[in-house]
Amino acid sequence: MYKLIALDLDGTLTDDQKVIPQRNFDALMNAQRNYGMRIILASGRPTYGIQHLAKQLSLPRYGGFIMAYNGALLVDCASDRILVQESVPRTIIPDLCKAAEEFGQAIITYDEANNTILTTVLGNKWIEHEAWLNNKMNLQLVENMSEQAPVDLPKCLMVGEPEDMERLVPVMQERFPELSIYRSSPFFMEIVPKGIDKAKTLSRLCRLMHTTPEESLVAMGDGFNDISMVKLAGFGVAMDNGCDEIKKIANFIAPSNVDCGVAVAMEKLFNDSNK
């Protein structure tokens, strides 16, 4: 029986109002109480945008984990101990801001210690959407992001129209080979430390737990940034609302996030294990 469940949040665990449906909640509590499974909330969100869901699912009690910023930060909820922490070089922020300005896009970063999104512009619909996604996170207008960003900087996020983000990802990756750059949603471009993605951090967690992803890990997601962990897992699940690329590599395609696909996948696992 699998012992770890890595769950993307937006478009996977939560519905379109960013709430965990009751059926998903019940299935995950059953997994923890009766099967000894440990949950990893694996998201591009900052820690602040995940903590309320971790508390709701009683992750501190059952030994779960928060994996924020697409894997740049991994926290043991029971002890609050940081297990993984990777940072974008602070010296590269001026060049990232310059590129965003050149391409006519907005870029933000995060002040983890103060639960704040740092931005050089206000009124951008995608930045406001990011704040709403993250439990209505505070927005702070800064004049010079490179001077005011924290030293331990897990990621930056470029936001814009989907067609612009799709076009600019390869351009940005070529310009900044020392970083990893990919989309998490059609309108969000993740800019993270080199080599960081959800699969890499989950692999590190499995090693810490003296197990392998093949024997222990279930992973569920819908987006581009979930492909690596769904491919890594022993049982990889794609939501029906997910991108075509993730559906191609999944072991199982569950109903959509609004149709409680997480619960359906968990029920399949439980039924298969009891046969």
Side-chain angles (χ1 to χ4, degrees):
M1 182 66 185
Y2 297 105
K3 291 299 182 183
L4 297 169
I5 319 166
L7 297 164
D8 173 58
L9 303 184
D10 304 306
T12 301
L13 174 61
T14 62
D15 62 21
D16 289 349
Q17 300 306 309
K18 308 307 173 185
V19 173
I20 301 175
Q22 187 65 44
R23 186 176 173 189
N24 284 355
F25 175 82
D26 290 342
L28 292 171
M29 295 307 294
N30 177 47
Q32 294 178 104
R33 289 173 181 151
N34 299 319
Y35 290 87
M37 301 184 80
R38 300 172 74 176
I39 294 171
I40 307 142
L41 297 182
S43 177
R45 293 189 191 188
T47 312
Y48 179 78
I50 305 174
Q51 286 171 331
H52 65 294
L53 299 175
K55 183 177 180 181
Q56 183 181 348
L57 289 167
S58 299
L59 264 58
R61 177 181 178 183
Y62 291 106
F65 304 88
I66 287 175
M67 195 173 85
Y69 302 108
N70 286 304
L73 186 67
L74 178 67
V75 179
D76 183 334
C77 293
S79 64
D80 281 332
R81 187 162 63 99
I82 294 174
L83 303 179
V84 174
Q85 186 171 22
E86 302 285 350
S87 299
V88 171
R90 200 166 181 264
T91 54
I92 207 168
I93 296 177
D95 290 334
L96 289 172
C97 292
K98 183 178 178 180
E101 183 178 359
E102 176 187 339
F103 298 133
Q105 308 299 324
I107 192 167
I108 62 174
T109 192
Y110 305 84
D111 183 347
E112 174 80 8
N114 294 302
N115 301 323
T116 300
I117 295 171
L118 304 182
T119 176
T120 57
V121 295
L122 292 178
N124 180 288
K125 64 179 180 179
W126 302 119
I127 296 175
E128 291 177 352
H129 184 67
E130 171 70 352
W132 175 75
L133 281 178
N134 288 291
N135 203 25
K136 299 180 180 178
M137 200 169 181
N138 292 327
L139 286 170
Q140 180 182 342
L141 185 66
V142 296
E143 291 185 8
N144 191 320
M145 190 175 289
S146 60
E147 290 183 359
Q148 295 176 259
V151 174
D152 293 320
L153 184 67
K155 79 166 188 178
C156 294
L157 187 73
M158 188 180 288
V159 301
E161 297 297 330
E163 58 271 22
D164 291 330
M165 295 299 97
E166 182 177 17
R167 173 178 57 85
L168 288 173
V169 163
V171 177
M172 287 288 290
Q173 186 62 84
E174 182 177 2
R175 184 173 294 193
F176 298 98
E178 65 273 50
L179 300 171
S180 286
I181 298 174
Y182 45 81
R183 284 193 296 166
S184 55
S185 73
F187 39 81
F188 286 161
M189 183 194 301
E190 307 284 330
I191 303 170
V192 298
K194 183 69 175 179
I196 285 295
D197 62 18
K198 294 183 179 184
K200 181 175 180 180
T201 301
L202 288 170
S203 294
R204 291 172 71 174
L205 177 60
C206 285
R207 288 195 296 272
L208 288 172
M209 298 179 69
H210 306 291
T211 188
T212 66
E214 293 77 14
E215 64 184 356
S216 295
L217 181 64
V218 176
M220 306 191 197
D222 72 300
F224 302 103
N225 62 327
D226 301 319
I227 293 172
S228 67
M229 73 171 183
V230 168
K231 188 174 182 179
L232 174 76
F235 186 65
V237 178
M239 300 296 110
D240 189 56
N241 54 287
C243 62
D244 291 339
E245 291 85 350
I246 200 168
K247 292 180 183 179
K248 290 176 183 176
I249 53 91
N251 301 110
F252 178 67
I253 298 177
S256 74
N257 64 311
V258 297
D259 293 319
C260 300
V262 166
V264 172
M266 295 307 302
E267 290 158 8
K268 173 178 170 55
L269 275 179
F270 301 149
N271 291 336
D272 288 351
S273 68
N274 290 329
K275 287 181 180 177

Coordinates of all heavy atoms in Angstrom, one line a residue, residues 89-167:
P89 N 19.2 33.0 -6.9 CA 20.2 34.0 -6.6 C 19.7 35.4 -6.6 O 19.1 35.9 -7.6 CB 21.2 33.8 -7.7 CG 21.0 32.5 -8.2 CD 19.5 32.2 -8.1
R90 N 19.8 36.1 -5.5 CA 19.3 37.5 -5.4 C 19.9 38.4 -6.4 O 19.2 39.4 -6.8 CB 19.5 38.0 -4.0 CG 18.6 39.1 -3.5 CD 18.7 39.3 -2.0 NE 17.9 40.3 -1.5 CZ 18.3 41.6 -1.2 NH1 19.6 41.9 -1.5 NH2 17.5 42.5 -0.7
T91 N 21.1 38.2 -6.8 CA 21.8 39.1 -7.7 C 21.2 39.0 -9.1 O 21.5 39.9 -9.9 CB 23.3 38.7 -7.8 OG1 23.3 37.3 -8.2 CG2 24.0 38.9 -6.5
I92 N 20.3 38.0 -9.4 CA 19.8 37.9 -10.7 C 18.5 38.7 -10.9 O 17.9 38.9 -12.0 CB 19.6 36.4 -11.1 CG1 19.6 36.3 -12.6 CG2 18.3 35.9 -10.6 CD1 19.7 34.8 -13.1
I93 N 17.9 39.2 -9.8 CA 16.6 39.9 -9.8 C 16.6 41.1 -10.7 O 15.7 41.3 -11.5 CB 16.1 40.2 -8.4 CG1 15.9 39.0 -7.6 CG2 14.8 41.0 -8.5 CD1 15.5 39.2 -6.2
P94 N 17.6 41.9 -10.7 CA 17.6 43.1 -11.6 C 17.4 42.7 -13.1 O 16.7 43.3 -13.9 CB 18.9 43.8 -11.4 CG 19.3 43.4 -10.0 CD 18.8 42.0 -9.8
D95 N 18.1 41.6 -13.5 CA 18.0 41.1 -14.9 C 16.6 40.5 -15.2 O 16.1 40.7 -16.3 CB 19.1 40.1 -15.2 CG 20.5 40.7 -15.2 OD1 20.6 41.9 -15.5 OD2 21.5 39.9 -14.9
L96 N 16.0 39.9 -14.2 CA 14.7 39.3 -14.3 C 13.7 40.5 -14.5 O 12.8 40.4 -15.4 CB 14.3 38.4 -13.2 CG 15.0 37.1 -13.0 CD1 14.6 36.4 -11.7 CD2 14.6 36.2 -14.2
C97 N 13.8 41.5 -13.7 CA 12.9 42.7 -13.8 C 13.1 43.4 -15.1 O 12.1 43.8 -15.7 CB 13.2 43.6 -12.6 SG 12.7 43.0 -11.0
K98 N 14.3 43.5 -15.6 CA 14.6 44.1 -16.8 C 14.0 43.3 -18.0 O 13.4 43.9 -18.9 CB 16.1 44.2 -17.1 CG 16.5 44.9 -18.3 CD 18.1 45.0 -18.4 CE 18.5 45.7 -19.7 NZ 20.0 45.8 -19.8
A99 N 14.1 42.0 -17.9 CA 13.4 41.2 -19.0 C 11.9 41.3 -19.0 O 11.3 41.4 -20.0 CB 13.8 39.7 -18.8
A100 N 11.3 41.3 -17.8 CA 9.9 41.5 -17.7 C 9.5 42.8 -18.3 O 8.5 42.9 -19.0 CB 9.4 41.4 -16.2
E101 N 10.2 43.9 -18.0 CA 9.9 45.2 -18.6 C 10.1 45.2 -20.1 O 9.2 45.7 -20.8 CB 10.8 46.2 -18.0 CG 10.5 47.7 -18.4 CD 11.4 48.7 -17.8 OE1 12.3 48.3 -16.9 OE2 11.3 49.9 -18.1
E102 N 11.1 44.5 -20.6 CA 11.4 44.4 -22.0 C 10.2 43.7 -22.7 O 9.8 44.1 -23.8 CB 12.7 43.6 -22.3 CG 13.0 43.4 -23.7 CD 14.2 42.5 -23.9 OE1 15.0 42.4 -22.9 OE2 14.3 41.9 -25.0
F103 N 9.7 42.7 -22.1 CA 8.6 41.9 -22.7 C 7.2 42.4 -22.4 O 6.2 41.9 -22.8 CB 8.7 40.4 -22.3 CG 10.0 39.8 -22.8 CD1 10.7 39.0 -21.9 CD2 10.5 39.9 -24.0 CE1 11.9 38.4 -22.3 CE2 11.6 39.3 -24.5 CZ 12.4 38.6 -23.6
G104 N 7.1 43.5 -21.6 CA 5.8 44.1 -21.3 C 5.0 43.3 -20.3 O 3.8 43.3 -20.4
Q105 N 5.7 42.5 -19.4 CA 5.0 41.7 -18.5 C 5.3 42.1 -17.0 O 6.2 42.9 -16.8 CB 5.4 40.2 -18.7 CG 5.4 39.7 -20.1 CD 3.9 39.7 -20.6 OE1 3.0 39.5 -19.9 NE2 3.8 40.0 -21.9
A106 N 4.5 41.6 -16.1 CA 4.7 41.9 -14.7 C 5.4 40.7 -14.0 O 5.2 39.6 -14.4 CB 3.3 42.1 -14.0
I107 N 6.2 41.0 -13.0 CA 6.9 40.0 -12.3 C 6.8 40.3 -10.8 O 6.7 41.5 -10.4 CB 8.4 39.9 -12.7 CG1 9.0 38.7 -12.2 CG2 9.1 41.2 -12.3 CD1 10.4 38.4 -12.8
I108 N 6.6 39.3 -10.0 CA 6.5 39.4 -8.5 C 7.4 38.4 -7.8 O 8.0 37.5 -8.5 CB 5.1 39.1 -8.1 CG1 4.7 37.7 -8.4 CG2 4.1 40.2 -8.7 CD1 3.3 37.3 -7.8
T109 N 7.6 38.7 -6.6 CA 8.3 37.7 -5.7 C 7.7 37.7 -4.3 O 6.6 38.4 -4.1 CB 9.8 37.9 -5.7 OG1 10.5 36.8 -5.1 CG2 10.2 39.2 -4.9
Y110 N 8.3 37.0 -3.4 CA 7.6 36.8 -2.1 C 8.5 37.1 -1.0 O 9.7 36.7 -1.0 CB 7.1 35.3 -2.0 CG 6.3 34.9 -3.2 CD1 6.8 34.5 -4.4 CD2 4.9 34.9 -3.1 CE1 6.1 34.1 -5.5 CE2 4.1 34.6 -4.2 CZ 4.7 34.2 -5.4 OH 3.9 33.8 -6.4
D111 N 7.9 37.7 0.1 CA 8.6 37.8 1.3 C 8.0 36.8 2.3 O 6.9 37.0 2.9 CB 8.3 39.3 1.9 CG 9.1 39.5 3.2 OD1 9.5 38.6 3.8 OD2 9.1 40.7 3.6
E112 N 8.6 35.6 2.3 CA 8.1 34.5 3.1 C 7.9 34.8 4.5 O 6.9 34.4 5.2 CB 9.0 33.3 2.9 CG 8.7 32.1 3.7 CD 7.6 31.2 3.2 OE1 7.2 31.4 2.0 OE2 7.2 30.3 3.9
A113 N 8.8 35.5 5.1 CA 8.8 35.8 6.6 C 7.6 36.7 6.9 O 7.0 36.6 8.1 CB 10.1 36.5 7.0
N114 N 7.1 37.6 6.0 CA 6.0 38.5 6.3 C 4.8 38.2 5.5 O 3.8 39.0 5.5 CB 6.5 39.9 6.0 CG 7.6 40.4 6.9 OD1 7.4 40.4 8.2 ND2 8.7 40.7 6.4
N115 N 4.7 37.0 4.9 CA 3.5 36.5 4.2 C 3.0 37.6 3.2 O 1.8 37.9 3.2 CB 2.4 36.2 5.2 CG 2.8 35.1 6.1 OD1 3.6 34.1 5.7 ND2 2.4 35.1 7.4
T116 N 4.0 38.1 2.4 CA 3.6 39.2 1.5 C 4.2 39.0 0.1 O 5.2 38.4 -0.1 CB 4.3 40.5 2.1 OG1 3.7 40.8 3.4 CG2 4.0 41.7 1.2
I117 N 3.4 39.4 -0.9 CA 3.8 39.4 -2.3 C 4.4 40.8 -2.6 O 3.8 41.8 -2.3 CB 2.6 39.1 -3.2 CG1 2.1 37.7 -3.0 CG2 3.0 39.3 -4.7 CD1 0.8 37.4 -3.8
L118 N 5.6 40.8 -3.1 CA 6.2 42.0 -3.5 C 6.0 42.3 -5.0 O 6.3 41.4 -5.8 CB 7.7 42.0 -3.2 CG 8.1 41.6 -1.8 CD1 9.7 41.6 -1.6 CD2 7.5 42.6 -0.8
T119 N 5.6 43.5 -5.3 CA 5.3 43.8 -6.7 C 5.7 45.2 -7.0 O 5.7 46.1 -6.1 CB 3.8 43.6 -7.0 OG1 3.5 44.1 -8.4 CG2 2.9 44.4 -6.0
T120 N 6.0 45.5 -8.3 CA 6.4 46.9 -8.7 C 5.2 47.6 -9.3 O 5.3 48.7 -9.7 CB 7.5 46.8 -9.7 OG1 7.2 46.0 -10.8 CG2 8.8 46.3 -9.0
V121 N 4.1 46.9 -9.5 CA 2.8 47.5 -10.1 C 1.6 47.0 -9.3 O 1.6 45.9 -8.7 CB 2.7 47.1 -11.5 CG1 3.8 47.6 -12.4 CG2 2.5 45.6 -11.7
L122 N 0.6 47.8 -9.2 CA -0.7 47.5 -8.6 C -1.7 47.5 -9.7 O -1.6 48.2 -10.7 CB -1.0 48.4 -7.5 CG -0.1 48.4 -6.2 CD1 -0.5 49.4 -5.2 CD2 -0.1 47.0 -5.6
G123 N -2.8 46.8 -9.5 CA -3.9 46.8 -10.4 C -3.8 45.7 -11.5 O -4.7 45.7 -12.3
N124 N -2.8 44.9 -11.5 CA -2.6 43.9 -12.5 C -3.5 42.7 -12.1 O -3.5 42.2 -11.0 CB -1.2 43.4 -12.5 CG -0.9 42.3 -13.6 OD1 -1.3 41.2 -13.4 ND2 -0.3 42.7 -14.7
K125 N -4.4 42.3 -13.0 CA -5.4 41.3 -12.7 C -4.8 39.9 -12.3 O -5.3 39.2 -11.5 CB -6.4 41.1 -13.8 CG -5.8 40.5 -15.1 CD -6.9 40.3 -16.2 CE -6.3 39.8 -17.5 NZ -7.4 39.6 -18.5
W126 N -3.6 39.6 -12.9 CA -3.0 38.3 -12.6 C -2.3 38.3 -11.3 O -2.3 37.3 -10.6 CB -2.0 37.9 -13.7 CG -2.6 37.9 -15.1 CD1 -2.3 38.6 -16.2 CD2 -3.7 37.0 -15.5 NE1 -3.1 38.3 -17.3 CE2 -3.9 37.3 -16.9 CE3 -4.5 36.0 -14.9 CZ2 -4.9 36.7 -17.6 CZ3 -5.5 35.4 -15.7 CH2 -5.7 35.7 -17.0
I127 N -1.7 39.4 -10.9 CA -1.1 39.6 -9.6 C -2.2 39.5 -8.5 O -2.1 38.9 -7.5 CB -0.3 40.9 -9.5 CG1 0.9 40.8 -10.5 CG2 0.2 41.1 -8.1 CD1 1.7 42.1 -10.5
E128 N -3.3 40.2 -8.8 CA -4.4 40.2 -7.8 C -5.0 38.7 -7.7 O -5.4 38.3 -6.6 CB -5.5 41.2 -8.2 CG -5.1 42.6 -8.1 CD -6.1 43.6 -8.6 OE1 -7.1 43.2 -9.1 OE2 -5.9 44.8 -8.3
H129 N -5.0 38.0 -8.8 CA -5.5 36.6 -8.8 C -4.5 35.8 -7.9 O -5.0 34.9 -7.2 CB -5.5 36.1 -10.2 CG -6.1 34.7 -10.3 ND1 -7.4 34.4 -10.0 CD2 -5.5 33.5 -10.7 CE1 -7.6 33.1 -10.2 NE2 -6.5 32.5 -10.6
E130 N -3.2 36.0 -8.1 CA -2.3 35.2 -7.3 C -2.5 35.5 -5.8 O -2.4 34.6 -4.9 CB -0.8 35.6 -7.7 CG 0.3 35.1 -6.8 CD 0.5 33.6 -6.9 OE1 -0.3 32.9 -7.5 OE2 1.5 33.1 -6.2
A131 N -2.7 36.8 -5.4 CA -3.0 37.1 -4.0 C -4.3 36.4 -3.5 O -4.3 35.9 -2.4 CB -3.1 38.6 -3.9
W132 N -5.3 36.4 -4.3 CA -6.6 35.7 -4.0 C -6.4 34.2 -3.8 O -6.9 33.6 -2.8 CB -7.6 36.0 -5.0 CG -8.9 35.3 -4.8 CD1 -9.9 35.5 -3.9 CD2 -9.4 34.1 -5.5 NE1 -10.9 34.6 -3.9 CE2 -10.6 33.7 -4.9 CE3 -8.8 33.3 -6.6 CZ2 -11.3 32.6 -5.4 CZ3 -9.6 32.2 -7.0 CH2 -10.8 31.9 -6.4
L133 N -5.6 33.6 -4.7 CA -5.3 32.2 -4.6 C -4.7 31.8 -3.3 O -4.9 30.8 -2.7 CB -4.3 31.8 -5.7 CG -4.9 31.5 -7.2 CD1 -3.7 31.2 -8.1 CD2 -5.9 30.4 -7.2
N134 N -3.8 32.7 -2.8 CA -3.1 32.4 -1.6 C -3.7 33.0 -0.4 O -3.0 33.7 0.4 CB -1.6 33.0 -1.8 CG -0.9 32.1 -2.8 OD1 -0.5 31.0 -2.5 ND2 -0.6 32.6 -4.0
N135 N -5.0 32.7 -0.2 CA -5.7 33.1 1.0 C -5.7 34.6 1.2 O -5.5 35.1 2.4 CB -5.1 32.4 2.2 CG -6.0 32.3 3.4 OD1 -7.3 32.3 3.2 ND2 -5.5 32.1 4.6
K136 N -5.8 35.3 0.1 CA -5.9 36.8 0.1 C -4.6 37.4 0.7 O -4.6 38.2 1.6 CB -7.1 37.3 0.9 CG -8.4 36.9 0.2 CD -9.6 37.3 1.0 CE -10.9 36.9 0.3 NZ -12.1 37.3 1.0
M137 N -3.5 36.9 0.2 CA -2.2 37.4 0.7 C -2.0 38.9 0.5 O -2.5 39.4 -0.5 CB -1.1 36.6 -0.1 CG 0.2 36.5 0.5 SD 1.3 35.3 -0.3 CE 2.8 35.4 0.6
N138 N -1.2 39.5 1.4 CA -1.0 40.9 1.3 C -0.1 41.2 0.0 O 0.8 40.5 -0.3 CB -0.3 41.4 2.5 CG -1.2 41.4 3.7 OD1 -2.4 41.6 3.6 ND2 -0.6 41.1 4.9
L139 N -0.4 42.4 -0.6 CA 0.5 42.9 -1.7 C 1.2 44.1 -1.2 O 0.6 45.0 -0.5 CB -0.4 43.3 -2.9 CG -1.0 42.2 -3.7 CD1 -2.0 42.7 -4.7 CD2 0.1 41.4 -4.5
Q140 N 2.5 44.1 -1.5 CA 3.3 45.3 -1.1 C 4.0 45.9 -2.3 O 4.7 45.2 -3.0 CB 4.4 44.9 0.0 CG 5.3 46.1 0.4 CD 6.3 45.7 1.4 OE1 6.3 44.6 2.0 NE2 7.4 46.5 1.5
L141 N 3.7 47.2 -2.6 CA 4.3 47.9 -3.7 C 5.8 48.2 -3.3 O 6.0 48.9 -2.3 CB 3.5 49.1 -4.0 CG 4.0 49.9 -5.3 CD1 3.8 49.1 -6.5 CD2 3.2 51.2 -5.4
V142 N 6.7 47.9 -4.1 CA 8.1 48.2 -3.9 C 8.7 49.0 -5.1 O 8.3 48.7 -6.2 CB 9.0 47.0 -3.6 CG1 8.5 46.3 -2.3 CG2 8.9 46.0 -4.8
E143 N 9.6 49.9 -4.9 CA 10.2 50.6 -5.9 C 11.4 49.8 -6.6 O 11.6 49.9 -7.8 CB 10.7 52.0 -5.4 CG 9.6 52.9 -5.0 CD 10.2 54.3 -4.6 OE1 11.4 54.5 -4.8 OE2 9.4 55.1 -4.2
N144 N 12.1 49.1 -5.8 CA 13.3 48.4 -6.2 C 13.2 47.0 -5.7 O 13.6 46.7 -4.5 CB 14.6 49.1 -5.8 CG 15.8 48.5 -6.5 OD1 15.9 47.3 -6.7 ND2 16.7 49.4 -6.9
M145 N 12.8 46.0 -6.5 CA 12.6 44.7 -6.0 C 13.9 44.0 -5.6 O 13.9 43.3 -4.7 CB 11.9 43.8 -7.1 CG 11.4 42.5 -6.6 SD 10.5 41.6 -7.9 CE 8.9 42.5 -7.9
S146 N 14.9 44.3 -6.4 CA 16.2 43.7 -6.1 C 16.8 44.1 -4.7 O 17.5 43.3 -4.1 CB 17.2 44.0 -7.2 OG 17.5 45.4 -7.3
E147 N 16.4 45.3 -4.3 CA 16.9 45.7 -3.0 C 16.0 45.3 -1.8 O 16.5 45.1 -0.7 CB 17.0 47.3 -3.0 CG 18.1 47.8 -3.8 CD 18.2 49.3 -3.7 OE1 17.4 49.9 -3.0 OE2 19.1 49.9 -4.4
Q148 N 14.7 45.1 -2.1 CA 13.8 44.8 -1.1 C 13.4 43.4 -1.0 O 12.7 43.0 0.0 CB 12.5 45.7 -1.2 CG 12.9 47.2 -1.1 CD 11.7 48.1 -1.3 OE1 11.6 48.7 -2.4 NE2 10.8 48.2 -0.4
A149 N 13.8 42.6 -1.9 CA 13.5 41.1 -1.8 C 14.3 40.5 -0.7 O 15.4 40.9 -0.4 CB 13.8 40.5 -3.2
P150 N 13.8 39.4 -0.1 CA 14.6 38.7 0.9 C 15.8 38.0 0.4 O 15.8 37.7 -0.8 CB 13.5 37.8 1.5 CG 12.6 37.5 0.4 CD 12.5 38.8 -0.4
V151 N 16.7 37.7 1.2 CA 17.9 36.9 0.8 C 17.5 35.5 0.4 O 18.0 35.1 -0.7 CB 18.9 36.9 2.0 CG1 20.1 36.0 1.6 CG2 19.4 38.3 2.3
D152 N 16.7 34.8 1.2 CA 16.3 33.5 0.8 C 15.0 33.6 0.0 O 13.9 33.8 0.5 CB 16.0 32.7 2.1 CG 17.2 32.4 2.9 OD1 18.3 32.1 2.3 OD2 17.2 32.5 4.1
L153 N 15.2 33.6 -1.3 CA 14.2 33.9 -2.3 C 13.8 32.6 -3.0 O 14.5 32.2 -3.9 CB 14.7 34.9 -3.3 CG 13.7 35.5 -4.3 CD1 12.6 36.2 -3.6 CD2 14.4 36.4 -5.3
P154 N 12.7 32.0 -2.7 CA 12.3 30.7 -3.3 C 12.0 30.7 -4.8 O 12.3 29.8 -5.5 CB 11.1 30.2 -2.5 CG 10.9 31.2 -1.4 CD 11.7 32.4 -1.7
K155 N 11.3 31.8 -5.2 CA 11.0 31.9 -6.6 C 10.5 33.3 -7.0 O 10.1 34.1 -6.1 CB 9.9 30.9 -7.0 CG 8.4 31.3 -6.6 CD 7.4 30.4 -7.3 CE 6.0 31.0 -7.0 NZ 4.9 30.2 -7.7
C156 N 10.5 33.6 -8.3 CA 9.8 34.7 -8.8 C 8.7 34.2 -9.7 O 8.7 33.0 -10.1 CB 10.7 35.6 -9.6 SG 12.0 36.4 -8.6
L157 N 7.7 35.0 -10.0 CA 6.6 34.6 -10.9 C 6.3 35.7 -11.9 O 6.1 36.9 -11.5 CB 5.4 34.4 -10.0 CG 4.1 33.8 -10.7 CD1 4.4 32.3 -11.0 CD2 2.9 34.0 -9.9
M158 N 6.4 35.4 -13.2 CA 6.0 36.3 -14.2 C 4.6 36.0 -14.6 O 4.2 34.8 -14.7 CB 6.9 36.2 -15.4 CG 6.6 37.3 -16.5 SD 7.7 37.2 -18.0 CE 9.3 37.7 -17.3
V159 N 3.7 37.0 -14.7 CA 2.3 36.8 -15.0 C 1.9 37.5 -16.2 O 2.5 38.6 -16.6 CB 1.5 37.2 -13.8 CG1 1.9 36.5 -12.5 CG2 1.6 38.7 -13.5
G160 N 0.9 37.0 -17.0 CA 0.5 37.6 -18.2 C -0.5 36.8 -18.9 O -0.9 35.7 -18.5
E161 N -0.9 37.2 -20.1 CA -1.8 36.5 -20.9 C -1.3 35.1 -21.3 O 0.0 35.0 -21.5 CB -2.2 37.3 -22.2 CG -2.9 38.6 -21.9 CD -4.2 38.4 -21.2 OE1 -4.9 37.4 -21.5 OE2 -4.7 39.3 -20.5
P162 N -2.1 34.1 -21.4 CA -1.6 32.8 -21.7 C -0.7 32.7 -22.9 O 0.3 32.0 -22.9 CB -2.9 31.9 -21.8 CG -3.8 32.6 -20.9 CD -3.5 34.1 -21.1
E163 N -1.1 33.3 -24.0 CA -0.3 33.2 -25.2 C 1.1 33.9 -25.1 O 2.0 33.4 -25.6 CB -1.1 33.9 -26.4 CG -1.4 35.3 -26.2 CD -2.8 35.6 -25.6 OE1 -3.3 34.7 -24.9 OE2 -3.4 36.7 -25.8
D164 N 1.1 34.9 -24.2 CA 2.4 35.5 -24.0 C 3.3 34.6 -23.1 O 4.5 34.5 -23.4 CB 2.3 36.9 -23.3 CG 1.6 37.9 -24.2 OD1 1.8 37.9 -25.4 OD2 0.9 38.8 -23.6
M165 N 2.7 34.0 -22.1 CA 3.5 33.1 -21.2 C 4.0 31.9 -22.0 O 5.2 31.5 -21.9 CB 2.7 32.7 -20.0 CG 2.3 33.8 -19.1 SD 3.7 34.6 -18.3 CE 3.8 36.1 -19.4
E166 N 3.2 31.4 -22.9 CA 3.6 30.2 -23.7 C 4.8 30.6 -24.6 O 5.8 29.8 -24.7 CB 2.4 29.7 -24.5 CG 2.8 28.5 -25.4 CD 1.6 27.9 -26.1 OE1 0.6 28.7 -26.3 OE2 1.7 26.8 -26.6
R167 N 4.7 31.8 -25.2 CA 5.7 32.2 -26.1 C 7.0 32.5 -25.4 O 8.1 32.3 -25.9 CB 5.2 33.5 -26.9 CG 6.2 34.2 -27.7 CD 5.6 35.3 -28.5 NE 5.0 36.3 -27.6 CZ 5.7 37.3 -27.0 NH1 6.9 37.5 -27.2 NH2 5.0 38.1 -26.2

